[in-house]
Amino acid sequence: MTTFTINNLVRENILQLQPYISYRDQKSPENAVLLDANESPFGTCNRYPDSTQSKLKNKLAEYKNIAQQCIAVGNGSDELIDLIIKIFCEPKKDAILVMNPSFAMYGFYAAINENEVIRLNLDRNFEIRKEDFIAATEKTVSKVFFICSPNNPTGNSVDDLEFFIRNYNGIVVVDEAYIEFSERKSALRLLGKYPNLIVLQTFSKAWGMAGARVGVAYASEEIITLINTVKAPYNVNSISQELIITMLEDESLFNKNLRSILDEKEWLKRELMNLECIDTVYPTDANFFLIRFNNAETIYRALLTENIFTSKRAPQIPQCIRINVGSREENQKLINVLKNVKS
Ligand code: PMP
C-alpha cells in the first residue's frame, strides 16, 4: 500500500468538481440576516439544514474518537453506498466486487451507474474463500469491494477482514450496519493503517432511527472530501441532525434498547431451536436470524396470512428466511404461528 494514491482511483470528472459551498455554513454569526437562500422568514423548519453537518460531526468525532475531517454523513448509508460507487466507478467501464449473498443495494446502485458487479460466492459457512478472492482480483479488475460484516442476510461476521483490505487493489468498504449487535471490534481501528478503507455505519439499526435516515462514512480526509464534494448539499435534514445529536448526548436509551434486543435475541433463539419446522438457525452477530426451514415457502405464506412479514431468501439461499428480532410480543406471535404451522 506504500504507492497508494487515491486520485488514481477517482473518476476524472469527479476530481474536477468544485463542491457546493454555502457561505453561511462557513461563517454565520448569531444575528446574521439570512436573505441568501430564498427561504421563508416564517415557520419552525424554514431554514436549510447545515450542509456541513458540523455540530453532528463534532459529536460523532467526540463519540468515536475520530477527526471530524474523516467523517461524512449521508441520507442513510444507502446514499453513501451510491456516492462511493459514483466517485470511483466510471459508468460502463468499471466494476464493483461484492460477497454473494450480501446486501442487495451495492448491486442496485452499481446497476444505476452502469457498473458490472463481480460476485464472490461465499462458502457453506458464508465465509469468503480467500482463494476465490485472489482469483477474482487476478482475473478481473474492480474498483470497490463491499464487505458487509456482519453480513446481511447471513448474519455472520467476515473473518480476517484485514487480509482482504490489505490485498485489494482498490477501495474496500466495510459496511458495519449491524456492528453494535456484535462482539467483534469495528474496522474503525484500521482506518489509520489502510488509506483504501471506508467504514460505513448507520443509525437505522441498533440506534433505532431508521426513519431519520442517517448513515455515516469514516475514511481518510481525502476520501471524505470527495464524498462531501459529490453529495447533495442538504442531504441530511435539520430535524434528523438534531435528533441524532440528542441521542448521542445521552446514550442511556441506546444502551437500554440494545440490551433488550440482545436479550430478546437469546430468547428467540431458544424458542426457534425447539421448533420442528426448522432445519438450521445460522449463527448471527446481527439483530436477525437466517433460518433454514424444512419448507420455507409454506412457512413464509403461513406467516403472511397472519400479517407477519419476514424476508424470504429463496431461491438465492434455498429454504431460507431472514427474520429479525422484534419486541417480545412480536416474537411471541411469530413463535405461535411457527409452532402450529403444518409443513
Ligand atoms: N447496509 C446494510 C448491510 C443494510 O442491511 C442496510 C439496511 N438494511 C443498509 C446498509 C442501509 O442502511 P441505511 O438505513 O443507513 O440506509
Side-chain angles (χ1 to χ4, degrees):
M1 277 295 152
T2 43
T3 56
F4 181 86
T5 43
I6 201 81
N7 287 3
N8 294 341
L9 291 169
V10 181
R11 285 169 65 195
E12 192 57 41
N13 63 317
I14 303 287
L15 282 177
Q16 310 299 332
L17 273 181
Q18 293 302 315
Y20 173 89
I21 292 176
S22 160
Y23 182 78
R24 72 161 80 151
D25 289 341
Q26 311 301 308
K27 206 191 223 119
S28 182
E30 278 296 302
N31 59 351
V33 176
L34 300 176
L35 302 176
D36 56 336
N38 301 343
E39 298 152 330
S40 165
F42 308 115
T44 50
C45 203
N46 56 330
R47 299 296 175 195
Y48 281 104
D50 173 7
S51 63
T52 63
Q53 302 133 349
S54 66
K55 253 167 94 184
L56 173 54
K57 283 185 190 163
N58 220 332
K59 271 269 159 267
L60 279 169
E62 187 187 303
Y63 187 72
K64 297 281 180 182
N65 197 18
I66 287 177
Q68 263 207 55
Q69 302 88 302
C70 297
I71 303 175
V73 186
N75 190 256
S77 40
D78 272 351
E79 184 193 24
L80 296 164
I81 294 166
D82 183 28
L83 296 179
I84 291 164
I85 292 175
K86 280 183 185 152
I87 290 168
F88 296 104
C89 297
E90 195 69 54
K92 297 189 180 170
K93 183 168 162 262
D94 292 327
I96 65 163
L97 184 64
V98 299
M99 301 154 60
N100 186 38
S102 190
F103 185 45
M105 297 310 274
Y106 315 132
F108 175 82
Y109 288 118
I112 292 175
N113 206 42
E114 298 191 80
N115 300 117
E116 191 193 338
V117 181
I118 301 167
R119 293 172 208 278
L120 281 177
N121 292 331
L122 303 178
D123 71 12
R124 56 199 302 271
N125 298 319
F126 303 122
E127 284 292 338
I128 308 170
R129 290 187 197 91
K130 285 185 179 162
E131 60 276 23
D132 287 3
F133 163 76
I134 290 166
T137 51
E138 280 172 357
K139 208 167 66 192
T140 52
V141 179
S142 56
K143 280 282 198 66
V144 185
F145 182 18
F146 286 93
I147 301 181
C148 190
S149 185
N151 187 28
N152 177 9
T154 58
N156 60 309
S157 302
V158 172
D159 274 339
D160 205 359
L161 257 184
E162 246 185 293
F163 172 86
F164 301 104
I165 304 169
R166 195 170 51 237
N167 291 297
Y168 186 70
N169 197 11
I171 299 294
V172 176
V173 177
V174 178
D175 184 343
E176 295 190 332
Y178 301 94
I179 193 69
E180 294 90 346
F181 301 109
S182 166
E183 283 175 4
R184 301 251 188 148
K185 281 202 190 122
S186 162
L188 286 177
R189 74 190 191 285
L190 302 173
L191 278 177
K193 199 167 168 189
Y194 298 104
N196 63 332
L197 174 63
I198 303 177
V199 178
L200 292 184
Q201 294 187 353
T202 180
F203 283 90
S204 298
K205 309 294 177 183
W207 287 88
M209 308 284 284
R213 309 302 302 125
V214 179
V216 188
Y218 300 92
S220 70
E221 196 173 337
E222 275 175 303
I223 294 180
I224 294 302
T225 303
L226 288 161
I227 295 177
N228 287 334
T229 301
V230 299
K231 79 176 182 66
Y234 305 117
N235 61 331
V236 182
N237 71 71
S238 36
I239 299 166
S240 294
Q241 291 191 42
E242 280 306 321
L243 269 174
I244 303 289
I245 290 169
T246 311
M247 286 293 280
L248 287 168
E249 273 166 358
D250 178 9
E251 257 188 282
S252 58
L253 183 63
F254 163 74
N255 286 329
K256 179 169 157 281
N257 291 346
L258 178 60
R259 188 67 264 150
S260 120
I261 293 167
L262 291 174
D263 289 347
E264 210 43 44
K265 180 177 162 185
E266 284 310 307
W267 180 87
L268 186 56
K269 187 175 167 190
R270 279 197 303 276
E271 294 287 319
L272 289 167
M273 295 294 212
N274 290 329
L275 295 174
E276 271 184 21
C277 60
I278 288 181
D279 176 73
T280 313
V281 179
Y282 288 99
T284 174
D285 286 339
N287 65 336
F288 57 80
F289 291 98
L290 182 73
I291 306 167
R292 187 182 297 271
F293 289 90
N294 298 323
N295 188 338
E297 190 57 39
T298 309
I299 300 289
Y300 181 72
R301 279 169 200 270
L303 291 170
L304 262 191
T305 311
E306 296 299 322
N307 279 329
I308 298 175
F309 289 54
T310 58
S311 178
K312 187 168 65 169
R313 309 315 299 187
Q316 200 196 18
I317 319 179
Q319 301 290 16
C320 282
I321 301 178
R322 191 197 66 202
I323 302 181
N324 76 261
V325 179
S327 64
R328 172 60 60 89
E329 194 189 348
E330 292 169 328
N331 299 335
Q332 189 68 66
K333 272 190 192 161
L334 167 81
I335 294 297
N336 291 347
V337 177
L338 293 179
K339 265 186 187 154
N340 294 318
V341 75
K342 306 251 174 308
S343 73

